[in-house]
Amino acid sequence: MIQSKQILYVCIGAAGAGKTTHSTPFCREFGILRLSIDETRAAYRKTVVNPSFQEVERMAFSIYDSNVHYFLGAGYSVLLDNMNHTTAIRAKYLQIAKLLSVRCFALFYQTNPALCIKRVMERDGHIPTPRTIVPPQPGEFDNIQYL
């Protein structure tokens, strides 16, 4: 049985569901390290001249994945602010956490799809790429919060 107070929080939800809006103050209040794939992409774009979309995605996820491993290994509680929309995407992070005896909590954002599209249009000026969000599965997490 895992006894660690350390927790990996995995946000699950569509673009525009409110993951960043909710997780930013949550992490600040409880001293949790928030890792954002969007912020990782933006930081990478600032360091490279005219990177291709594929390069940004590859490098951003490489950096993001390394940060997840590093900070969990260093004893931090970490929140993953990303869509994490499939079990396969989530599995690599959950595997790292399990190897380090870190509890895994899902934050499942069940926001109305029309509202998500409206928010992304207002924020980014485009309709988001539709993705099927696979809900947290039985046994996948130690705890699931439905938001």
Side-chain angles (χ1 to χ4, degrees):
M1 185 166 152
I2 296 173
Q3 296 297 321
S4 172
K5 292 183 180 180
Q6 186 181 8
I7 298 172
L8 172 65
Y9 296 91
V10 180
C11 293
I12 303 168
K19 299 177 299 294
T20 301
T21 301
H22 170 263
S23 67
T24 300
F26 173 77
C27 289
R28 192 175 303 122
E29 181 175 346
F30 293 103
I32 299 162
L33 180 67
R34 184 180 140 278
L35 297 177
S36 164
I37 192 62
D38 291 338
E39 292 168 13
T40 305
R41 282 184 192 109
Y44 182 75
R45 280 190 195 101
K46 289 180 182 177
T47 65
V48 179
V49 178
N50 296 322
S52 69
F53 173 80
Q54 291 81 6
E55 178 186 357
V56 170
E57 287 299 292
R58 183 176 49 81
M59 291 306 298
F61 273 99
S62 177
I63 294 164
Y64 184 81
D65 293 353
S66 294
N67 283 340
V68 172
H69 194 274
Y70 175 81
F71 287 110
L72 285 176
Y76 289 83
S77 284
V78 174
L79 181 139
L80 304 181
D81 184 358
N82 185 12
M83 289 194 326
N84 296 302
H85 59 287
T86 69
T87 55
I89 290 170
R90 300 188 295 255
K92 63 182 172 182
Y93 305 120
L94 297 175
Q95 181 180 19
I96 293 167
K98 300 284 187 209
L99 288 171
L100 296 169
S101 298
V102 174
R103 293 175 296 159
C104 300
F105 289 12
L107 303 176
F108 185 43
Y109 294 79
Q110 301 176 294
T111 311
N112 178 296
L115 179 57
C116 292
I117 291 169
K118 178 180 181 283
R119 288 175 176 169
V120 173
M121 286 289 296
E122 290 170 354
R123 177 184 72 201
D124 300 337
H126 66 81
I127 296 175
T129 304
R131 292 214 167 57
T132 299
I133 307 297
V134 178
Q137 301 299 298
E140 187 179 13
F141 292 91
D142 298 308
N143 184 296
I144 302 170
Q145 295 294 313
Y146 296 88
L147 305 167

